[in-house]
Amino acid sequence: DTEVTQTPKHLVMGMTNKKSLKCEQHMGHRAMYWYKQKAKKPPELMFVYSYEKLSINESVPSRFSPECPNSSLLNLHLHALQPEDSALYLCASSQGDRHYGYTFGSGTRLTVV
Amino acid sequence: QQQVKQSPQSLIVQKGGISIINCAYENTAFDYFPWYQQFPGKGPALLIAIRPDVSEKKEGRFTISFNKSAKQFSLHIMDSQPGDSATYFCAASYGGATNKLIFGTGTLLAVQP
């Protein structure tokens, strides 16, 4: 299995909702990442988990809360988002000690209304 | 010093032609240089990657040329096809998950039939 699987593919949520994005990989990668991507821009790093521990938080607002239940799963919990948070949210994984084989999922298209 | 500069911003190529996208970096610690291809609404897909100990890597119609002394690398797409129309991102990194994968700004390629 060489894929990173993200669910759901599309999500529309109100500003008072709570929702979660899910990411799963079975490549034995020990680092997992959350990115945010706006149209016509490169992905922006949000969080990095290395060996199931949060190692990088790029000053992301607390309305985004990551969770890594085990080495194959990564969640992003969303609460009280703003319309400007609408974007493509990407999960990625890589070998923990190197970036080789850095693989992205297809993303969740999030719309906040 | 952490930037990766990518050019051109957009590129139009005729079917069968050669598409060339260039990237430049400053940080000599970078030791992994991937290229990603992204179609609208999809996550970036790893296309080809190179390490600085080789000057060229070819996979099918895609070739990375790497010039360590000039701190530049480029993607060549031979016999470009309309299906190659996408956004291409170069990137660079060193080390593992505690270091970022630094993306270029992206090139929107359109291959005309």
Side-chain angles (χ1 to χ4, degrees):
Chain A
D1 187 353
T2 58
E3 288 188 342
V4 174
T5 303
Q6 289 188 244
T7 55
K9 294 193 182 307
H10 301 276
L11 179 62
V12 179
M13 61 184 291
M15 290 188 283
T16 58
N17 290 162
K18 288 184 180 180
K19 297 286 184 182
S20 296
L21 309 184
K22 182 179 176 181
C23 174
E24 192 168 4
Q25 58 88 14
H26 297 287
M27 295 179 281
H29 286 174
R30 300 312 301 268
M32 296 185 77
Y33 311 78
W34 280 116
Y35 282 85
K36 173 183 178 179
Q37 187 179 28
K38 290 282 201 178
K40 301 184 180 181
K41 297 290 186 183
E44 293 176 41
L45 184 65
M46 299 175 71
F47 302 104
V48 178
Y49 274 84
S50 178
Y51 293 86
E52 300 163 49
K53 294 191 185 304
L54 184 65
S55 61
I56 296 179
N57 177 338
E58 288 289 291
S59 302
V60 178
S62 59
R63 58 185 183 268
F64 296 91
S65 175
E67 178 195 20
C68 188
N70 60 56
S71 61
S72 299
L73 285 174
L74 187 65
N75 298 319
L76 185 63
H77 304 296
L78 313 173
H79 173 56
L81 295 191
Q82 304 297 309
E84 58 264 30
D85 296 322
S86 298
L88 182 67
Y89 286 84
L90 296 161
C91 175
S93 70
S94 73
Q95 299 175 30
D97 57 344
R98 308 302 292 179
H99 281 144
Y100 306 150
Y102 207 108
T103 303
F104 283 89
S106 293
T108 294
R109 172 68 62 187
L110 175 67
T111 303
V112 182
V113 297
Chain B
Q1 196 177 18
Q2 286 289 78
Q3 283 187 330
V4 176
K5 296 181 180 179
Q6 183 172 347
S7 63
Q9 187 174 2
S10 62
L11 181 60
I12 299 174
V13 173
Q14 296 298 312
K15 179 182 175 182
I18 302 173
S19 303
I20 302 174
I21 304 170
N22 300 300
C23 287
Y25 65 97
E26 289 294 325
N27 190 343
T28 56
F30 287 146
D31 65 357
Y32 178 63
F33 301 89
W35 284 90
Y36 288 89
Q37 178 189 57
Q38 186 174 26
F39 294 105
K42 301 293 185 183
L46 181 62
L47 193 60
I48 187 172
I50 198 168
R51 301 177 202 180
D53 53 345
V54 297
S55 60
E56 185 176 282
K57 183 175 182 180
K58 183 176 180 179
E59 290 184 2
R61 296 185 293 110
F62 301 92
T63 300
I64 298 179
S65 296
F66 188 84
N67 186 330
K68 189 174 181 178
S69 61
K71 292 185 283 187
Q72 295 175 349
F73 59 111
S74 59
L75 176 70
H76 295 236
I77 306 174
M78 312 300 288
D79 187 25
S80 298
Q81 299 296 313
D84 297 329
S85 298
T87 299
Y88 292 81
F89 293 99
C90 64
S93 75
Y94 64 95
T98 54
N99 294 307
K100 295 182 187 180
L101 186 64
I102 308 298
F103 285 92
T105 50
T107 296
L108 179 60
L109 171 65
V111 181
Q112 294 186 335

